[in-house]
Amino acid sequence: MRTHRARDASPILGTGRDPEEDRVHETAHARVPEQKRKVLRHSVRGQILDALRAALVDGELVPGEIYSGPALGERFGVSATPVREAMQQLAVEGAVECLPNRGFRVLSRTPRELAELAEVRALLEVPVMLRLARTVPGASWQALRPAAAATAEAAAAGDLPGYAEADRAFHRAVLRLAGNDQLVQVAEELHRRAQWPLPGAARVRRADLVADAAEHSALLEALIARDLPVVEALVREHFAGSGG
């Protein structure tokens, strides 16, 4: 198996942190305009993890291929240790498997697995969203407009990793209105797994991203208007379609 490396990154201004962290910050956020990304964790491991997750969604880390910690560490300008730590987290999430003395293989998934993920997400999120539609005031839904707009902006730019991140953020913001942290955590993990592409799958088209983002906006407008029949139709259609 080949060992692959991530793509080159564009230079950004230093942040006053350790130089090594700045280099990783640059790589982790290169695929999305700086104003659309915010570093949630300032550790090297956290930034490497973000970069690897984006590479999974974007298809840069290919299912079935083996990647070595030292090679990826060299590309990111860090030691192999934070790369291995990040890859171990991805193994916990089910994205890769650890191969002793070899590296990490990106796991393949099947259409059936993705369909099962979509079904579980629908069973979990649809009833919650319908309950929230009946109980949450319009002002709370108004506050989610920026989250819906972020998905539309990423979709219009054709930014797949950025869209995946914004998509999860929108769903997370909706589910947080239920006041159940465990629900949010489980739903987030399922959503992340559902975003990994199938082996050999064509890159998601910009038009598909735009259509998925439009569903977010339409759903939000129906929630603000408390149009419950439209909310139910949109929620079920959203999960029956792309699973976004």
Side-chain angles (χ1 to χ4, degrees):
M1 295 288 186
R2 297 171 298 171
T3 298
H4 293 254
R5 298 182 181 178
R7 283 185 253 176
D8 288 337
S10 300
I12 62 174
L13 296 178
T15 62
R17 296 187 302 273
D18 178 82
E20 182 178 46
E21 282 198 90
D22 281 336
R23 285 194 296 273
V24 180
H25 175 88
E26 172 187 341
T27 305
H29 298 78
R31 280 178 294 276
V32 184
E34 287 181 54
Q35 65 270 25
K36 305 304 178 191
R37 290 259 187 173
K38 292 184 179 180
V39 179
L40 302 181
R41 296 174 302 278
H42 295 287
S43 68
V44 173
R45 172 189 173 278
Q47 293 176 54
I48 291 292
L49 180 58
D50 285 346
L52 293 174
R53 282 172 170 166
L56 276 169
V57 172
D58 211 21
E60 291 183 46
L61 293 181
V62 182
E65 295 288 354
I66 298 174
Y67 300 84
S68 75
L72 288 173
E74 180 182 351
R75 173 63 196 93
F76 290 135
V78 300
S79 69
T81 299
V83 174
R84 291 193 180 106
E85 291 174 347
M87 281 293 198
Q88 286 165 2
Q89 176 58 36
L90 291 179
V92 171
E93 296 174 5
V96 304
E97 65 175 329
C98 302
L99 303 176
N101 302 318
R102 297 183 65 191
F104 305 87
R105 177 186 287 121
V106 178
L107 294 177
S108 298
R109 57 196 57 247
T110 65
R112 177 173 178 173
E113 288 172 331
L114 288 184
E116 290 174 348
L117 281 170
E119 181 180 7
V120 174
R121 288 189 62 217
L123 289 171
L124 185 66
E125 295 192 41
V126 169
V128 174
M129 288 188 178
L130 295 180
R131 173 168 60 84
L132 292 174
R134 294 189 295 269
T135 58
V136 173
S140 296
W141 296 120
Q142 291 276 8
L144 269 59
R145 286 189 185 275
T151 67
E153 290 172 8
D159 173 16
L160 184 54
Y163 183 79
E165 185 176 324
D167 185 23
R168 290 196 312 275
F170 176 81
H171 282 259
R172 184 167 62 245
V174 171
L175 294 178
R176 277 180 176 164
L177 295 174
N180 187 327
D181 291 340
Q182 297 304 312
L183 166 68
V184 174
Q185 181 178 340
V186 171
E188 172 96 358
E189 177 63 21
L190 290 171
H191 197 167
R192 189 186 300 279
R193 288 172 181 252
Q195 292 174 328
W196 300 331
L198 292 170
R203 182 177 175 82
V204 178
R205 298 180 307 163
R206 180 180 303 186
D208 293 331
L209 295 180
V210 170
D212 198 64
E215 291 180 4
H216 293 151
S217 297
L219 173 60
L220 192 55
E221 294 303 323
L223 287 165
I224 292 170
R226 299 186 70 84
D227 190 336
L228 299 185
V230 172
V231 168
E232 181 167 4
L234 288 171
V235 167
R236 296 193 184 281
E237 180 182 353
H238 191 60
F239 282 96
S242 65

